[in-house]
Amino acid sequence: MALQTDRPWAQPLIGLTVWLLGWGGLVALDSEDALANQALVLVATAALATRFLPAWASGITAVLAVAAFNWNFVPPRNSFTVDLRQHAALLLTLLVVIWTIAALMDRQRRLARSAQEQARRESHLRQWADVLQQCQRPEDLAQALARELAGCFRAHDRANTRAFGDHTRMVTGLIKGPASTLADTQAYFSGSCTAEQRAGLLLCQTECRPLGPGTGRYEQQADLFLPLRHGGQAWGATLIKQAATENLDAATLHHLQALCDLTGQALQRRVEQAEAQALRDLAREHLLRNTLLTAVAHDHRTPLATILGAASSLVDQGERLTGAQRSALAQGIMLEAQGLARLTDNTLQLARLDASGLNLNCDWQSAEELVGSVVQQARRRHPQRRIKVYAEPNLPLLWCDATLVSQALDNLLDNALKYSGADTPVEVSARALAARIVLAVSDRGPGVPLAWQDRIFEPYVRVPPTARPAEPLRQGTAGPQPKGAGLGLALCRAVALAHGVTLRQRPREQGGSIFELEWPVREQPEQPT
Amino acid sequence: MSPIVQLKVLLVEDDRELRTTLAQALRVEGHEVHTAASVADARAQLQQSLRDGGTPMDLVLLDLGLPDGDGQELLADCRARRHLPLIVISAGGSEPRKIELLDAGADDYLVKPFGIGELLARMRVAVRHRGQVVNPAVTHWQRDALEVDLSTRRVLKDGTLVHLTPTEFELLARLVRCAGQVVTHRRLLADVWGPEAVEQTQYLRLYMAQLRTKLESSPAEPRYLLTEVGVGYRIVEGLATP
C-alpha cells in the first residue's frame, strides 16, 4: 500500500515547470550553430523533468518536446521536415535517449518505493511485536489486532473519504479449543458479526488456512478470514469484512498475515505462561498442604494427649479422686479443648488464605465493634487479666472480612496475653492516623528480639525461651514456653496480605510490643438522610 | 433465677457421640429429648408429634452438617405449623448457610464447640420469644441502669430520659423484642429501613454506634448491645420478666 503524498499535483507541476524553463533555455541559446548545444540542453531538461513526472507523462512530453524542437530549432524552421539526414538521426537519438532516461528513472523510483515499503512493513511488524508484549489478556490482544488492522486500512485509504478504516470492520475471534487462552468463555469476538461469519472464523481457525479473496480458497467470499498462526496451529482468526472491495495485492495480504501470525505467537506465549503459573501454584499448594499436615499431626496430638489423659483418669480413677481433683481435671480438658479449637481454626484459615483464588467476604465494618467483640471474648477466657480497649469516636468504616479480621485480632490479643506477665495490662485500640485506621494490640511483655522480628510471622516459628530477653520485673528465667503452635502471627500476616494492608510490629518505649494493622480509609458509603 | 421450663426438644445431629453427649446433658436438665440423624427423620418425627394428639415439640436443635440437605425444609415445617423455635448449630467459620437460615426465620445459632451453659441459655430465650415478634412478649425491658419501655416509647438510663431519634428507637425496639436472641443484619435492615435496604450494612454500623454512645457507659465495651461478628446484633436478656 503506497503512501500518497499530501499534494499529488505538486510533482507534475514541478516537472512542467522544468520543461518550461528548459524551453526558455533553448530559446535563449538559439543561434546559427547552436543546435548541438540545444540538443544537449533538451536532453538535460528531459532528464531533470522525468524525476518529477510519471513514466507515461515523460514519454508523451518527450515526443512533444522532440516534435517542438524539430519545428522550432531544426532547419528548416517551422516545419516538420528535416534537411540533413544527420538531423533526423539526431532527433531519433534524442527521443530514444529521453525515453531511456525516463524508463530508468521510473524503474529506480519503483525500486526505491518498494524498498521503502518493505522497510516500513518490517518496522511496523517490530512495533506490533512490542505492542503485543504489553497486552495482558487474550481479549486485549484480539482488540488490539482489530484496531491495528483498521489502522493499516485507514492509511491505505487516506485519499478516500469513506470511512474504511472503521475498526468495526475487523473482528478478531478467539474460539476455545484444546489449546485455549480463554479463561471462562467459549469464544471471544472483538466485534459483532453474523452467525455465518462466526462459522467462517471457526473454520479458518480449525483449518489454520486463510479464506477469502486472494487466498486461493473460497475466493467468491466478500470477507477475508486470516488465521492467527503459530507453531503449526491457529490460536484465533481475524475477519476483515468486505475485503473484496479493497483489491488487496499479494504483498499486502502477506503483511496482514504476518501481523496475525505475530498475534498468534503472543497468544501461544500467554497459554504457556498460564500453564507455568498453574504448575507453580499447584506446587506451592502441595508444599503448604504437606507442611500443614505434618504440623497438624504433631501439634494437635499434644492437647489431645492431655485431654485423653485427664479423661481417662476421670474414668478409671474417678471414685478415688477428690471432688477438687475431678473438677481440676475437667477444667483442664475444657481448656485444652478450647486451645485445640483455636489451633484448628487458625490452621484452616491459613490454608484457605494461602490457596489461590480466595474470595474475601467483605462488608462495611465498625472498627469499634471489631475490637470490642474481640476484647469481650478474651475477657471471658481470661477473667483475671487486665484487658483495656480504646476506640476513637467517629472512626470511618472499614471495608474488610469481619470474621478474618476478628480472628487476626483475637490471635494478636491471645499472643499478647500469653507472652506478658499476668499482672501487666494489654490494650486493644482502634485509632485514626492521617488517612489510615490503625487497629493495634499492645502489651508490656518482654518484647520481640530484633533478630526475630520478621521470623515470628512465619508459620510454626516461636521465639525460644533462651532468645527472649529476661523480663526485668521477674526474677530468674523467663518462664516456661507458653502454649501454642506458633500459627497465630502467621495467620495475622496472611489476613493482612489477603486484604492488602500492612501488619507491623514494633517495640514500645517502656518495654513490650505493639502489633498494628493499618488500613487505608476508603471512600465512605452513603448514609440515610 | 427464673424456673427451668421442661421442654420437648428435637435434636437433629448426625454425629453419634455429640448427639449422645448433648442429649444426656439436656436430659439432666429435665428436658424430654428426641433425636434424629437426618433431615428426613426429623421431619417425620415432627409430623408424628403433631398427629398423635400428644404434646407437640417445643424446640428444634438443628446441626448444619447433615448429609441429606440443608435445613430449609425443616425450617419451613417449623414455621408452618405453629411457631416452633429452631436453633442452628454450625461448625464454625463464616458459614453463609447459617446466616441464610437466620434470615429465613431461625431463632438463634451456636458455633461448635460450645458449652452446655450457652446452649441452655439460648434454648431458654428461644422458647420465651416463641413466635412473638409481632405481638412481642417483651414490652418492657430492664437491665441494671438501662430501661426500655416499648409501649410508651421511653428509654431511661440511670433514671434520666434518653432522647433517641425515631430510627434509633425502631432499631433498639427490634432488638428488645427479641432480647437475648441474635437478629441478623438483613432482618434488622429489612424491619427498620425496609426490604430495599437489606444490603446497606453501613446504616447499621452508624446507628448502632449512635445507640452505644447514648446508652452504654463505654461504647467500645458494650454491656447490653452486643455485636455478633459477621452475623448481626443482640441485646442481652432483660432481668425483669414482664
Side-chain angles (χ1 to χ4, degrees), chain A residues 169-191:
Chain A
R169 262 184 92 197
M170 324 295 169
V171 177
T172 305
L174 306 173
I175 297 155
K176 197 170 170 79
S180 175
T181 52
L182 299 176
D184 301 316
T185 53
Q186 282 301 308
Y188 172 79
F189 298 96
S190 72

Side-chain angles (χ1 to χ4, degrees), chain A residues 457-486:
Chain A
F457 290 103
E458 289 167 36
Y460 304 106
V461 168
R462 295 163 62 207
V463 180
T466 46
R468 274 184 279 142
E471 293 167 16
L473 299 174
R474 279 194 187 183
Q475 286 161 353
T477 62
Q481 183 79 316
K483 289 186 185 306

Side-chain angles (χ1 to χ4, degrees), chain A residues 356-373:
Chain A
S356 41
L358 168 82
N359 285 328
L360 294 181
N361 183 15
C362 288
D363 201 346
W364 291 108
Q365 304 293 345
S366 154
E368 179 181 272
E369 286 174 10
L370 288 173
V371 300
S373 62

Side-chain angles (χ1 to χ4, degrees), chain A residues 46-47 50 53-55 58-59 62 96-109:
Chain A
T50 53
L53 293 173
S58 290
V96 168
V97 166
I98 294 173
W99 273 352
T100 310
I101 293 174
L104 282 174
M105 188 65 71
D106 186 60
R107 183 162 165 276
Q108 205 52 39
R109 263 206 303 255

Side-chain angles (χ1 to χ4, degrees), chain A residues 341 361 363-366 368-370 372-373 376 379 387 389-391 397 402-403 406 525-528, chain B residues 93-94 113 193 199-209 212 219-222 226-227 229-230 233:
Chain A
N361 183 15
D363 201 346
W364 291 108
Q365 304 293 345
S366 154
E368 179 181 272
E369 286 174 10
L370 288 173
S373 62
Q376 197 160 55
R379 284 214 180 106
I387 306 175
V389 60
Y390 171 72
L397 295 177
T403 314
S406 257
E526 269 189 47
Q527 291 288 3
Chain B
S94 51
W193 280 278
E199 303 285 332
Q200 313 298 327
T201 334
Q202 68 271 19
Y203 296 0
L204 282 178
R205 308 296 176 219
L206 177 67
Y207 279 87
M208 286 304 298
R212 283 195 301 267
E221 303 174 78
L226 306 177
T227 307
V229 170
Y233 295 93

